[in-house]
C-alpha cells in the first residue's frame, strides 16, 4: 500500500472530487455539480479539466469506477465513480493538512474563528 | 443548434490524447451537454442572461484545453511508465528529451497564459475583435456553404459524374425555343443504336387532376422513362418502380407517388399500393412510393407516370413534321468519355437524317447539373467575391485595432524586452492573442452562418430549387477553421512586427513611443494604409450594392405595358368526359366569365390561354401574304376573349380591338403586338395585313397593341399574336380550351375574392379543378425574388463593410486627436482659430477617405463588369450610382472625422500644456 502522504498536497479540484464521491458513487455531471456547490462556486472546472483530474485520480488509485446505484436506470455513456480505500486515506491526510493550515492562519489572526473562507486563487 | 455544439465539442476532444479520449470522451460529451442544458436552457432568466452564460461556458471550455491536455498527457505518460517498470532504457531515456520538449511547451503555455491574461484585462477590445471577425466569418461560411452546396458538391446520385444530359440543336428557330432539349425522334433512334451509352431516359413535366378525394386536386408530376430510376440509382420507399414494359402505349396505367403526396393525400397508408388513383379521369394503379430524398426532376414533384412511346417504327428516315422537344438524360457506358459518346451520336444522326440542309441535327452531351449550376454561378461568384472583401475589411480593422493596442502597450513590451525577453517571447503573445481571438470568433461565425442559412432556406426557395442541399458541413467547418487561423496570424503580424522593432530606449524614456511624433510610431504608419484599403473595398461593395438595388428597383417599377395591379388569376382544368366538344367548353367558359363579371367588386373579367408577361408555351409559324420568304416566323399565340384587352388594360396603338359582338363565323381577325409587327410586317402599322397561321388558317390584322414586358428576368418582349377563342381552328383550341385561365380586374384587393370565385366554379361544376388562384402582382413579385435576394445580401454586406471602414477611420482620427492634444493645445494657446484646428483634424480623416475613393471608385468601376449578367436596365458603370456612392462615402467619412474633431475643439490649452 502506498504512503498517502506521498500524494499530498492535492489540488483543490482533486480534493473536492474525492469529497464529492466520499459518501456514494456519482456520475461525472453530479461530481461537477457537487464540486461547484461544495466550493461555493470557487472551483468550476470545465469538462476537460474535470476529466483530466479524474484520470489522474484513477491513475493514482484514489478513485475507481463503480456500478450505478441500484434501481437507477442510466444510459451507457454514463459512468459512476467512487473513492478507494487509498483515496479515503489521502483525502483524510489532505484534510488534516488543511486543518493544520487553518489553525496556523487562525493563530496569526488571518482568520476569525467563525468565518472559514477559501484562501485559494489569490490574484497576483 | 445541438448538433453544432456536439460537433464543436468533438472537435475540442481531438486535442486530447487518444487513449484519454477513448476512455472519457463519450462521458465528457454527456456531461458537457447536461451542463449546457441546465445552465443555458433550463437556467431561466432573461434571454441576455442565458446568452451570457452560454458565452461564459463556451469560453471556459475553450480556455481550459491547453492546461487539461497537458495534465492528461502527463498522467498518460506516467501510467505507461508504471506499467513497465523494468522496460529497459526507454523510461529513463525519455527523460531529457521529454524535459527539453517540456521547457518549450511550458514557454508556449506561459505565453498563452500571458495572452489570455491580457485579453481578460481588456474585454471590450476582445469583444470588438470577436464580433468583427465573427461577422466576417459568418458571412464567409454562409456564402461558402452556398457555393459548396450548389456549385462544388456532386449531385446526390451514385457516380453522378457519369450522368449526362442529352441536348440537340438544329439550324432552325424552333431549336432556340427549346434550349437544352432533345427531340423525341432523335431519342428513339439514338437509343436503338447506341453502344456508348448505358441507360437512357426521357422526362417531361405533366400535371393532372386527381379526383376521388375530397375535392379535385391538381398535382404536378413528371412523365419519365422506366429506365430513369435505375439510371439515377433510385430505390422506392415502398412498392416498385416502372418496368420496361410499362413504357409501351396502352400497357396499363400505373403511377408512383412522392412521399409528400402519399402522406398528404393518402394519409401515409401503405395499403395504397395496388389501389387505383384517378388521374385526369383515368384509373392508375399505385405501384410505388418514392422517398422524399428523390426529387428528380424538380424538388416539388408530386408523382411519376411512365413516358409511353408509340410502337417503335423501324427503317426509313423519320419525316414527321411534328416532333416533341423533351428533356433527356443518360449514363455513360463503362470507360466511355463524353467526347466518344458525342461522336458516336452525331455519326448516328448524320446517317439517319443526312447533312447540309435544314434537317441537320447536332447533339451534345452535358454533365447533369451543369445547366442548373450555370444559372446560379454568376450570382454565387459575385457573392463569394463580395464576402471575401468583407472578410478582408474585417481583418484590416482588426489589424488596425491590434496595432493601436500594441502601440498603447509598447511601454509594457519595452520593459519586458529590457528585462531580457527575447524577440520570440515578445512576438509570440501577440500572435497567440490574435489567434486566440480568431478562434473565439469562429464559433460566433458558425452560429451566424447557421442562422443565416436557415433564413435563406426559408426565404430563398425561389433563388434556386436545390437550397435543401445546402448545409453547414465538415468541409465548411474545416475551411472556417483554416481561415480563422490564417486571419489570426495575419492580423497579429503587423503589430508583432512593430513590437519586434520597438526602440526600447526611447519608449522607456518618453511617456510613450515618440510623443509628438506619433506619425512615426510603428502603429500609425501601418494603420493608415489598412484604413484606406478598408475604405476602398467598402466603396467597391457599396457600388455593387447600389447597382443591384438600382436594377432591382427598376424591376419592381417595370412598365409592363398594362396595369398588373388588382388582377386576380386562376387556371381551370376541365375534365374531358364532361366537356367533349369545343362548343361545350366555350359555353362553360362564357358562363363562368359572365358570372364572374357580376361578382361584387369585379370591374371586368375575361378568359385567356396564358397570363400576360408569362410564357404562353404555344408558338406557331406565321407567314404574311405577299412576303417573299416562304418559311414562317415563330410567334407566340395567345388565345383570348374580346374582354381580355380591357380587363388587362393592354394599350392599343393602332387599328381596333375585337369587340364582344364579333360573330364566331365571321372573318378571322388577329391583333399583333409591336414585336410581332416588326418581325412579320417590318413596319410600325400592320393593320390591314393578312397573315396565315401554320400555312392554312388565314386572318386579317385588325389592331396593334403594346409589347408586354416579360416577368422577372427583364428579357425583351416576345412577338405575340392575339386570336379569339371563338375563331380558333378546333384542333388547336381543344388543348388550350382544356386549361383556360380566368383573369378578373377588381376594385380592391383581388385576393379578397378568392372564396367567391372558388364557390362560383364549384357551383358551375364540382369536378373542375382550380389551380394558381393568385394575384398577378404576387406572381410577378415571385419572379424577382432572386434579384431581390442578391440585392439585399450584397447591401447587407456593403452596409457592414461601410460600418467597419467608418469605424476604422474614426479610430484613426480619434487616436490622432488624443496623440496631438499637446500640439493642439499649443496651437490654441498661440491663437489658432477654431476653423484652423477643425480643418487640421478633419483633414486627417478626409485624406484617408480621398485616397480610399481614388482607389476604390476605379476599382469598383472595373469590377462592376462582373455584374453585367445580374443587372437589368442599369449599365455596370452607371455614373449616377457611382456618383451617389462617392457622395455617400464622403459624407460618412466626414461624419466619422467630425466627431473626434469636435473633441479637438474642446481641448483646453491650459490642461494640455500642464499635462506636459
Amino acid at each position: 500500500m502506498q504512503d498517502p502522504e506521498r500524494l499530498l498536497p492535492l489540488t483543490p479540484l482533486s480534493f473536492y472530487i474525492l469529497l464529492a464521491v466520499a459518501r456514494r458513487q456519482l456520475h461525472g455531471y453530479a461530481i461537477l455539480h457537487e464540486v461547484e456547490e461544495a466550493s461555493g462556486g470557487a472551483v468550476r472546472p470545465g469538462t476537460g479539466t474535470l476529466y483530466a483530474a479524474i484520470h489522474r485520480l484513477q491513475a493514482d488509485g484514489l478513485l475507481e469506477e463503480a456500478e450505478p446505484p441500484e434501481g437507477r436506470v442510466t444510459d451507457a455513456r454514463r459512468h459512476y465513480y467512487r473513492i478507494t480505500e487509498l483515496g479515503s486515506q489521502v483525502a483524510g491526510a489532505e484534510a488534516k493538512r488543511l486543518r493544520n493550515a487553518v489553525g496556523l492562519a487562525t493563530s496569526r489572526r488571518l482568520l476569525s474563528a467563525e468565518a472559514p473562507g477559501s484562501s485559494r486563487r489569490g490574484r497576483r | 443548434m445541438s448538433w453544432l455544439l456536439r460537433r464543436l465539442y468533438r472537435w475540442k476532444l481531438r486535442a486530447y490524447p487518444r487513449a484519454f479520449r477513448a476512455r472519457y470522451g463519450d462521458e465528457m460529451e454527456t456531461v458537457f451537454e447536461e451542463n449546457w442544458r441546465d445552465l443555458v436552457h433550463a437556467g431561466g432568466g432573461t434571454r441576455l442572461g442565458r446568452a451570457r452564460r452560454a458565452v461564459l461556458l463556451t469560453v471556459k471550455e475553450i480556455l481550459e484545453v491547453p492546461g487539461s491536455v497537458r495534465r492528461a498527457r502527463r498522467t498518460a505518460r506516467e501510467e505507461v511508465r508504471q506499467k513497465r517498470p523494468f522496460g529497459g532504457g526507454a523510461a529513463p531515456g525519455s527523460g531529457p528529451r521529454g524535459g527539453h520538449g517540456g521547457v518549450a511547451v511550458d514557454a508556449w503555455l506561459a505565453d498563452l497564459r500571458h495572452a489570455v491574461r491580457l485579453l481578460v484585462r481588456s474585454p471590450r477590445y476582445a469583444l470588438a475583435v470577436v464580433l468583427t471577425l465573427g461577422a466576417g466569418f459568418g458571412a464567409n461560411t454562409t456564402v461558402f456553404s452556398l457555393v459548396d452546396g450548389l456549385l462544388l458538391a456532386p449531385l446526390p446520385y451514385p457516380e453522378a459524374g457519369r450522368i449526362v444530359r442529352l441536348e440537340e440543336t438544329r439550324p432552325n428557330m424552333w431549336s432556340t425555343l427549346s434550349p437544352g432539349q432533345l427531340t423525341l425522334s432523335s431519342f428513339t433512334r439514338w437509343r436503338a443504336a447506341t453502344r456508348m451509352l448505358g441507360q437512357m431516359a426521357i422526362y417531361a413535366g405533366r400535371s393532372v387532376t386527381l379526383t376521388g378525394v375530397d375535392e379535385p386536386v391538381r398535382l404536378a408530376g413528371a412523365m419519365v422513362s422506366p429506365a430513369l430510376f435505375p439510371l439515377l440509382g433510385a430505390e422506392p420507399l415502398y412498392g416498385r418502380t416502372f418496368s420496361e414494359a410499362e413504357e409501351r402505349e396502352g400497357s396499363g396505367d400505373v403511377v408512383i407517388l412522392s412521399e409528400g403526396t402519399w402522406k398528404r393525400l393518402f394519409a401515409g397508408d401503405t395499403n395504397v399500393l395496388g389501389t387505383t388513383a384517378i388521374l385526369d379521369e383515368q384509373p392508375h394503379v399505385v405501384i410505388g412510393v418514392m422517398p422524399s430524398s428523390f426529387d428528380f426532376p424538380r424538388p416539388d414533384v408530386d408523382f411519376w407516370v411512365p413516358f409511353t412511346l408509340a410502337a417503335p417504327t423501324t427503317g426509313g428516315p423519320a419525316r414527321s413534321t411534328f416532333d416533341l422537344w423533351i428533356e433527356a438524360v443518360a449514363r455513360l457506358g463503362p470507360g466511355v468519355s463524353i467526347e466518344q459518346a458525342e461522336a458516336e451520336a452525331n455519326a448516328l444522326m448524320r446517317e439517319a437524317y443526312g447533312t447540309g440542309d435544314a434537317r441537320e441535327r447536332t447533339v451534345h452531351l452535358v454533365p447533369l447539373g451543369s445547366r442548373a449550376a450555370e444559372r446560379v454561378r454568376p450570382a454565387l461568384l459575385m457573392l463569394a467575391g463580395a464576402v471575401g472583401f468583407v472578410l478582408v475589411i474585417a481583418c484590416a480593422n482588426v489589424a488596425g485595432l491590434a496595432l493601436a493596442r500594441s502601440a498603447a502597450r509598447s511601454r509594457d513590451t519595452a520593459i519586458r524586452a529590457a528585462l531580457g525577453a527575447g524577440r520570440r517571447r515578445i512576438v509570440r503573445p501577440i500572435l497567440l492573442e490574435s489567434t486566440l481571438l480568431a478562434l473565439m470568433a469562429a464559433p460566433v461565425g458558425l452560429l451566424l452562418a447557421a442562422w443565416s442559412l436557415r433564413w435563406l432556406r426559408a426565404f430563398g426557395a425561389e433563388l434556386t430549387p436545390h437550397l435543401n442541399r445546402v448545409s453547414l458541413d465538415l468541409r465548411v467547418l474545416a475551411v472556417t477553421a483554416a481561415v480563422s487561423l490564417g486571419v489570426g496570424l495575419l492580423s497579429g503580424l503587423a503589430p508583432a512586427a512593430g513590437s519586434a522593432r520597438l526602440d526600447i530606449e526611447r519608449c522607456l524614456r518618453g511617456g510613450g513611443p515618440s510623443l509628438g511624433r506619433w506619425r512615426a510610431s510603428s502603429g500609425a504608419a501601418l494603420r493608415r494604409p489598412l484604413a484606406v484599403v478598408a475604405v476602398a473595398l467598402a466603396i467597391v461593395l457599396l457600388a455593387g450594392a447600389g447597382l443591384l438595388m438600382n436594377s432591382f428597383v427598376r424591376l419592381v417599377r417595370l412598365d409592363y405595358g398594362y396595369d398588373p395591379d388588382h388582377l386576380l388569376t386562376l387556371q381551370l382544368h376541365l375534365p374531358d368526359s364532361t366537356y367533349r366538344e369545343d362548343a361545350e367548353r366555350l359555353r362553360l367558359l362564357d358562363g363562368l366569365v359572365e358570372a364572374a363579371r357580376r361578382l361584387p367588386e369585379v370591374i371586368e373579367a375575361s378568359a385567356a390561354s396564358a397570363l400576360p408577361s408569362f410564357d404562353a408555351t404555344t408558338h406557331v409559324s406565321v407567314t404574311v401574304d405577299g412576303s417573299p420568304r416562304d418559311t414562317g416566323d415563330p410567334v407566340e399565340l395567345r388565345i383570348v376573349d374580346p374582354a381580355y384587352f380591357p380587363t388587362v388594360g393592354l394599350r392599343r396603338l393602332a387599328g381596333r380591338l375585337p369587340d364582344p359582338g364579333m360573330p364566331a363565323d365571321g372573318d378571322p381577325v388577329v391583333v399583333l403586338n409591336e414585336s410581332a409587327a416588326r418581325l412579320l410586317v417590318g413596319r410600325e402599322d400592320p393593320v390591314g395585313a393578312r397573315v396565315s397561321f401554320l400555312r392554312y388558317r388565314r386572318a386579317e390584322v385588325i389592331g396593334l397593341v403594346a409589347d408586354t414586358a416579360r416577368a422577372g428576368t427583364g428579357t425583351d418582349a416576345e412577338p405575340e399574336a392575339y386570336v379569339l377563342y371563338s375563331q380558333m381552328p378546333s384542333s388547336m383550341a381543344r388543348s388550350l380550351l382544356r386549361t383556360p385561365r380566368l383573369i378578373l380586374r377588381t376594385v380592391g384587393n383581388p385576393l379578397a375574392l378568392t372564396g367567391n370565385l372558388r364557390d362560383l366554379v364549384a357551383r358551375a361544376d364540382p369536378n373542375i379543378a382550380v389551380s394558381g388562384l393568385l394575384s398577378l402582382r404576387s406572381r410577378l413579385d415571385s419572379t424577382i425574388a432572386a434579384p431581390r435576394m442578391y440585392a439585399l445580401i450584397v447591401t447587407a454586406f456593403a452596409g457592414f463593410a461601410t460600418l467597419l471602414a467608418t469605424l476604422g477611420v474614426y479610430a484613426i482620427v480619434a487616436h490622432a486627436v488624443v496623440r496631438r492634444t499637446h500640439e493642439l493645445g499649443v496651437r490654441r494657446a498661440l491663437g489658432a482659430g477654431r476653423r484652423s484646428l477643425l480643418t487640421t483634424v478633419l483633414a486627417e480623416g478626409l485624406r484617408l477617405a480621398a485616397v480610399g475613393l481614388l482607389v476604390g471608385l476605379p476599382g469598383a468601376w472595373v469590377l462592376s463588369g462582373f455584374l453585367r449578367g445580374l443587372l437589368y436596365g442599369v449599365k455596370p458603370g452607371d455614373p449616377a450610382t457611382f456618383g451617389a456612392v462617392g457622395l455617400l462615402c464622403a459624407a460618412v467619412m466626414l461624419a466619422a472625422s467630425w466627431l473626434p474633431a469636435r473633441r479637438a475643439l474642446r481641448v483646453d490649452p491650459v490642461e494640455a500644456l500642464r499635462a506636459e
Side-chain angles (χ1 to χ4, degrees):
Chain A
M1 177 67 58
Q2 273 183 300
D3 175 15
E5 300 283 337
R6 205 182 60 79
L7 292 167
L8 295 189
L10 288 175
T11 64
L13 176 58
S14 303
F15 186 50
Y16 279 118
I17 292 175
L18 290 180
L19 288 184
V21 296
R23 263 181 306 167
R24 61 198 152 93
Q25 64 269 53
L26 291 176
H27 56 77
Y29 185 48
I31 296 179
L32 189 73
H33 246 300
E34 290 238 338
V35 166
E36 258 189 61
E37 217 160 273
S39 68
V43 182
R44 298 179 128 164
T47 47
T49 312
L50 177 72
Y51 275 90
I54 290 179
H55 185 199
R56 180 80 223 179
L57 290 170
Q58 277 192 288
D60 287 340
L62 309 187
L63 196 69
E64 64 186 7
E65 260 191 55
E67 293 292 310
E70 261 179 58
R72 186 76 59 90
V73 184
T74 173
D75 79 270
R77 298 200 306 170
R78 204 170 238 192
H79 292 252
Y80 281 79
Y81 299 93
R82 70 162 166 247
I83 200 163
T84 61
E85 184 54 41
L86 177 64
S88 306
Q89 289 173 17
V90 172
E94 173 73 7
K96 217 175 285 166
R97 191 183 68 79
L98 287 175
R99 190 171 59 197
N100 289 343
V102 170
L104 209 57
T106 318
S107 75
R108 300 203 177 155
R109 294 169 189 273
L110 291 171
L111 194 65
S112 58
E114 74 277 359
S118 156
S119 61
R120 300 171 335 90
R121 290 225 160 177
R123 281 191 172 253
R124 259 187 283 173
Chain B
M1 183 61 216
S2 63
W3 64 266
L4 183 67
L5 263 182
R6 208 170 297 141
R7 209 164 253 191
L8 286 172
Y9 193 80
R10 288 197 184 139
W11 198 50
K12 163 185 167 162
L13 280 178
R14 289 196 195 172
Y16 292 88
R18 189 187 300 262
F20 180 85
R21 212 178 343 152
R23 193 154 149 196
Y24 299 111
D26 282 356
E27 226 180 310
M28 288 168 72
E29 199 182 314
T30 324
V31 172
F32 171 71
E33 271 173 27
E34 283 177 294
N35 201 13
W36 180 276
R37 200 185 51 221
D38 287 359
L39 212 62
V40 178
H41 290 301
T46 60
R47 183 181 269 238
L48 196 68
R50 282 201 299 274
R52 211 182 115 253
R53 286 200 297 273
V55 169
L56 284 178
L57 185 58
T58 311
V59 169
K60 179 163 80 182
E61 289 284 336
I62 294 170
L63 287 185
E64 67 158 4
V65 170
S68 54
V69 166
R70 193 168 42 127
R71 259 166 272 153
R73 265 202 203 125
R74 201 191 300 144
T75 312
R77 265 203 306 274
E78 281 174 24
E79 262 184 330
V80 169
R81 221 173 290 158
Q82 273 169 10
K83 268 183 198 153
R84 34 181 182 146
F86 309 111
S94 68
R97 199 164 45 103
H100 183 70
V103 171
V105 168
D106 282 350
W108 271 95
L109 284 173
D111 285 343
L112 188 66
R113 267 199 297 275
H114 184 64
V116 170
R117 245 192 328 262
L118 288 177
L119 280 183
V120 169
R121 256 189 250 153
S122 39
R124 273 197 304 182
Y125 167 74
L127 192 70
V129 172
V130 166
L131 287 185
T132 307
L133 285 182
F137 290 168
N140 257 287
T141 309
T142 308
V143 171
F144 188 81
S145 299
L146 284 176
V147 172
D148 190 44
L150 298 176
L151 287 188
L152 306 178
L155 295 166
Y157 311 118
E159 286 189 80
R162 311 276 306 154
I163 306 175
V164 287
R165 276 180 64 92
L166 313 179
E167 304 185 346
E168 176 176 343
T169 47
R170 288 205 213 170
N172 64 29
M173 57 276 280
W174 301 105
S175 144
T176 61
L177 293 173
S178 320
Q181 297 193 331
L182 185 74
T183 52
L184 193 54
S185 56
S186 299
F187 174 79
T188 44
R189 282 192 165 259
W190 193 349
R191 188 171 67 171
T194 184
R195 291 163 190 281
M196 299 279 187
L197 293 180
Q199 287 126 339
M200 293 173 73
I202 49 174
Y203 58 95
R206 165 111 200 259
S207 44
V208 297
T209 305
L210 171 75
T211 45
V213 285
D214 297 343
E215 58 178 24
V217 186
R218 279 308 278 186
L219 295 180
M223 304 190 284
V224 302
S225 302
L228 183 82
F229 297 97
L231 192 160
L232 296 177
E235 293 290 338
L237 191 63
Y238 297 107
R240 61 174 178 92
T241 57
F242 303 127
S243 69
E244 289 292 331
E246 277 156 351
E247 185 181 66
R248 275 195 296 280
E249 219 161 16
S251 61
D253 287 320
V254 286
V255 61
I256 298 176
L257 301 174
S258 74
E259 193 179 341
T261 311
W262 174 61
K263 284 188 174 148
R264 184 161 49 95
L265 297 174
F266 298 90
D269 182 2
T270 44
N271 289 327
V272 78
L273 293 182
T275 61
T276 309
I278 313 290
L279 305 179
D280 275 353
E281 305 184 277
Q282 296 297 313
H284 285 66
V285 178
V286 179
I287 60 159
V289 176
M290 290 306 285
S292 55
S293 57
F294 182 73
D295 58 2
F296 194 89
R298 284 184 324 275
D300 55 351
V301 58
D302 289 327
F303 68 90
W304 295 266
V305 289
F307 201 126
T308 52
L309 299 174
T313 47
T314 45
R319 288 283 183 223
S320 164
T321 50
F322 181 73
D323 208 345
L324 212 52
W325 287 87
I326 40 155
E327 319 266 339
V329 289
R331 193 175 268 282
L332 293 171
V336 174
S337 71
I338 285 190
E339 291 74 25
Q340 288 169 320
E342 201 168 281
E344 178 208 49
N346 281 318
L348 281 174
M349 292 299 141
R350 274 194 300 276
E351 199 180 310
Y353 300 99
T355 56
D357 65 351
R359 276 193 294 277
E360 186 174 21
R361 303 179 176 201
T362 326
V363 290
H364 312 276
L365 276 64
V366 184
L368 182 64
S370 63
R371 284 255 167 214
E374 252 167 49
R375 243 175 296 140
V376 288
R377 186 191 304 270
L380 284 180
L381 291 184
M382 168 200 71
L383 288 183
V387 83
F389 283 3
V390 171
L391 190 63
V392 172
I393 295 175
C395 289
N397 253 40
V398 167
L401 282 177
L403 279 170
R405 187 169 151 78
S406 82
R409 229 166 45 194
S410 55
R411 202 179 153 82
D412 186 49
T413 313
I415 292 173
R416 292 185 65 202
L419 289 178
R423 184 169 287 193
R424 189 184 293 179
R425 292 301 299 270
I426 300 265
V427 169
R428 204 154 54 189
I430 298 174
L431 287 180
L432 277 175
E433 180 186 288
S434 48
T435 309
L436 213 59
L437 286 172
L439 286 178
M440 277 159 66
V444 175
L446 277 179
L447 264 180
L448 260 176
W451 282 329
S452 36
L453 278 180
R454 199 194 301 170
W455 180 80
L456 273 179
R457 241 174 267 143
F459 294 99
E462 290 99 344
L463 186 68
T464 156
H466 295 298
L467 261 173
N468 53 348
R469 285 191 199 142
V470 174
S471 63
L472 282 173
D473 61 10
L474 273 177
R475 283 197 294 171
V476 174
L477 201 72
V479 169
T480 307
V483 167
S484 57
L485 271 176
V487 167
L489 289 174
L490 264 177
S491 62
L493 270 183
S499 297
R501 284 202 313 265
L502 202 66
D503 182 344
I504 299 173
E505 222 185 302
R506 207 176 53 193
C507 275
L508 290 180
R509 214 178 315 124
S514 56
L515 199 112
R517 293 185 53 207
W518 74 285
R519 224 173 278 188
S521 84
S522 60
L526 261 170
R527 288 180 68 195
R528 303 166 143 268
L530 284 175
V532 166
V533 166
V535 171
L537 291 182
I539 287 170
V540 173
L541 285 178
L542 275 177
L547 288 171
L548 288 170
M549 269 292 169
N550 203 333
S551 149
F552 171 65
V553 168
R554 269 163 217 260
L555 278 177
V556 170
R557 297 209 187 131
L558 187 64
D559 176 15
Y560 282 99
Y562 60 93
D563 178 8
D565 288 312
H566 301 296
L567 287 179
L568 182 64
T569 67
L570 83 164
Q571 188 164 22
L572 303 170
H573 305 275
L574 311 186
D576 277 348
S577 62
T578 329
Y579 304 94
R580 291 170 195 283
E581 299 295 325
D582 290 347
E584 292 172 65
R585 299 191 182 102
L586 274 176
R587 211 175 304 129
L588 173 89
L589 205 54
D590 283 345
L592 277 177
V593 169
E594 197 46 53
R597 205 171 275 145
R598 279 198 303 270
L599 283 175
E601 301 250 303
V602 170
I603 299 172
E604 186 56 281
S606 77
S609 65
L611 297 178
S613 294
F614 289 88
D615 198 358
T617 67
T618 318
H619 290 81
V620 292
S621 152
V622 178
T623 43
V624 183
D625 288 9
S627 160
R629 293 156 57 208
D630 66 334
T631 54
D633 291 300
V635 169
E636 208 176 72
L637 197 61
R638 288 174 178 266
I639 322 288
V640 299
D641 65 8
Y644 177 83
F645 300 96
T647 306
V648 168
L650 208 50
R651 282 202 296 275
R652 178 178 61 94
L653 299 178
R656 62 197 172 87
L657 296 175
D659 58 80
M662 214 165 243
D665 50 358
D667 286 338
V669 295
V670 58
V671 173
L672 299 182
N673 73 352
E674 295 167 90
S675 298
R678 257 197 311 277
L679 178 73
L680 297 173
V681 194
R683 56 187 152 92
E684 289 299 307
D685 185 4
V687 175
R690 300 193 69 84
V691 297
S692 41
F693 295 93
L694 299 171
R695 294 175 195 282
Y696 66 88
R697 181 78 180 179
R698 298 168 58 80
E700 184 192 347
V701 179
I702 59 163
L704 175 71
V705 292
D707 277 348
T708 55
R710 287 287 151 150
T713 50
T715 46
D716 293 336
E718 299 261 330
E720 294 169 341
Y722 297 88
V723 174
L724 293 183
Y725 270 117
S726 53
Q727 296 182 341
M728 269 313 290
S730 63
S731 65
M732 178 155 274
R734 190 166 302 128
S735 68
L736 292 169
L737 267 173
R738 274 195 196 115
T739 55
R741 293 174 193 271
L742 292 187
I743 306 173
L744 275 66
R745 180 163 290 282
T746 63
V747 178
N749 175 12
L751 292 179
L753 283 170
T754 51
N756 291 358
L757 204 52
R758 261 185 203 286
D759 288 349
L760 195 141
V761 175
R763 238 178 293 132
D765 184 344
N767 289 321
I768 295 177
V770 169
S771 68
L773 196 46
L774 292 168
S775 75
L776 189 69
R777 180 51 92 173
S778 68
R779 281 173 180 278
L780 291 171
D781 282 348
S782 73
T783 62
I784 54 176
R788 179 177 57 203
M789 173 90 57
Y790 300 142
L792 284 180
I793 293 179
V794 175
T795 304
F797 286 174
F800 180 57
T802 311
L803 178 71
L804 286 181
T806 312
L807 286 178
V809 170
Y810 169 81
I812 286 181
V813 179
H815 194 228
V817 170
V818 173
R819 289 280 175 165
R820 295 170 75 174
T821 306
H822 176 67
E823 181 203 324
L824 293 170
V826 171
R827 287 177 59 177
R828 196 79 201 274
L830 291 178
R834 293 165 62 87
R835 176 181 288 243
S836 127
L837 288 186
L838 200 62
T839 328
T840 315
V841 178
L842 280 183
E844 200 67 64
L846 290 185
R847 243 195 320 258
L848 295 176
V851 180
L853 274 167
L854 277 179
V855 179
L857 280 179
W861 194 78
V862 171
L863 287 175
S864 66
F866 288 105
L867 293 179
R868 194 175 300 274
L870 298 167
L871 296 180
Y872 168 74
V874 188
K875 292 227 163 50
D878 183 47
T881 308
F882 274 67
V885 165
L887 280 180
L888 175 72
C889 193
V892 169
M893 294 303 157
L894 188 65
S897 318
W898 184 262
L899 292 174
R902 283 198 10 197
R903 206 179 316 140
L905 287 185
R906 285 200 299 268
V907 167
D908 179 356
V910 183
E911 282 294 315
L913 292 176
R914 194 183 294 150
E916 175 65 345

